[in-house]
Amino acid sequence: TEVARLPDGSVAAVETTLKGKSKNVWARMYRMALAVAQAHHWQVAPANDKLVTRRFRCIAEERQSEDLVFNTGDIGDGDIVGTSDLRVLRLTFI
C-alpha cells in the first residue's frame, strides 16, 4: 500500500536480514515475495475500477548491510568502529 501512496518518481525500499535459521530466512523472504505479488495483483486487477493504480518496478538485490557498528567497550561508548557484515535482501519499488 505504501507504493500506491508515493508520488510519481518516488522510491520505497524494504530490507530483511539474511541471517538466522534457514527456516526463518525463508519465511521472511516468502512474506516479502507475497507482498510483491499482492501489490502486482492490485496493479493489474484492482478490486475497484474507480481506483487509480500506479505502475511500479520492483528491483531485488542481495547486498551487504550499511548499518554502522558502534564500540561498546571501555574506549568510549558510541564510537563507530565499522559497518555490519550482515547480508540483506532489499526490494526497491520505483
Side-chain angles (χ1 to χ4, degrees):
T1 60
E2 295 303 318
V3 175
R5 294 185 184 127
L6 289 174
D8 284 338
S10 296
V11 175
V14 180
E15 288 184 343
T16 189
T17 181
L18 297 177
K19 185 176 181 179
K21 293 183 179 180
S22 62
K23 68 178 185 177
N24 295 338
V25 171
W26 183 89
R28 288 193 304 269
M29 291 174 62
Y30 178 75
R31 284 193 300 268
M32 289 176 77
L34 284 180
V36 171
Q38 184 177 28
H40 180 266
H41 179 73
W42 290 342
Q43 178 178 299
V44 298
N48 184 345
D49 291 334
K50 295 178 183 177
L51 292 176
V52 176
T53 59
R54 178 182 169 304
R55 291 272 186 216
F56 67 91
R57 288 185 299 148
C58 177
I59 301 167
E61 62 181 324
E62 178 186 347
R63 56 186 212 72
Q64 290 296 117
S65 173
E66 295 174 0
D67 293 341
L68 298 176
V69 176
F70 293 91
N71 179 11
T72 57
D74 296 333
I75 297 172
D77 292 336
D79 293 336
I80 298 173
V81 294
T83 57
S84 172
D85 62 350
L86 290 177
R87 288 179 18 247
V88 295
L89 173 66
R90 172 186 277 179
L91 298 179
T92 306
F93 300 94
I94 301 172

